[in-house]
Amino acid sequence: MPLPFLTADGVFEAHEDDALAHVDHDHWRRPYRPGPWRVAGAALLLLLAAFMLLSTMIVAFAGAWAGAGFCLAAALAVIGSAVRLLLVGVWVSRTGLRRVAFFGTRSIAWSEIDQVRTVQQPVRWLGLPRTVQGQALTVAGRDGAELPVLLTDHNADFLSRTEAFDRAAGAVEAWADEYRAVPA
């Protein structure tokens, strides 16, 4: 069964030499697929939410409406967390670069970006405090400010998938090369 939301309008079926395979560059797109660790975490959260919704139904049939309301609110919070976990990552469009984190989003116009490059540095393993040596895709602002790391080869999208990290970093760099020179 085809899952069109995973293909992002055919970007993953593009040729290797065509990094900017989107037809409409005005919409925000993630130039890579969510990784297996991120998808597994979201799937576990959705499984937990299913059990929470089942308990909501049982509590509601028992007549405890306050408890059912609390269970429903908690289940909706878990579902929202799963959706947000799947949205985390780097998104690009003609207007700029967007880094979506779990608790916040930061958008940067291409005109504010001086350089996008891959560097070797200590990176966080799966977002935990432990650091390991790895590759990171970094952005330098026009005023010389170092912005937060965009991608690492040890995050939930690219752990044990160095080829996927290289393709994603190359795609983001291609978007930067294409649109940094063009005023938005």
Side-chain angles (χ1 to χ4, degrees), residues 29-116:
R29 305 278 189 213
R30 183 181 4 218
Y32 58 91
R33 290 183 181 181
W37 288 93
R38 187 172 310 284
V39 173
L44 287 175
L45 285 174
L46 290 174
L47 182 64
L48 175 66
F51 286 115
M52 292 172 78
L53 288 171
L54 182 63
S55 69
T56 300
M57 186 181 68
I58 292 170
V59 170
F61 285 149
W65 295 105
F70 177 77
C71 288
L72 180 63
L76 291 176
V78 170
I79 291 170
S81 297
V83 170
R84 186 64 181 187
L85 184 64
L86 288 174
L87 291 176
V88 168
V90 175
W91 297 74
V92 292
S93 78
R94 183 185 315 263
T95 58
L97 180 82
R98 181 174 284 172
R99 181 179 176 265
V100 178
F102 191 77
F103 290 112
T105 300
R106 181 172 182 187
S107 297
I108 307 163
W110 290 120
S111 60
E112 298 174 18
I113 295 175
D114 184 42
Q115 186 178 17
V116 177

Side-chain angles (χ1 to χ4, degrees), residues 119-136 149 151-155 158-160 162:
V119 296
Q120 289 283 331
Q121 68 180 32
V123 296
R124 294 171 61 166
W125 183 77
L126 286 177
L128 299 172
R130 178 182 173 210
T131 59
V132 295
Q133 189 65 26
Q135 294 185 48
V149 172
L151 302 171
T152 68
D153 62 346
H154 285 81
N155 69 7
F158 303 111
L159 187 64
S160 301
T162 56

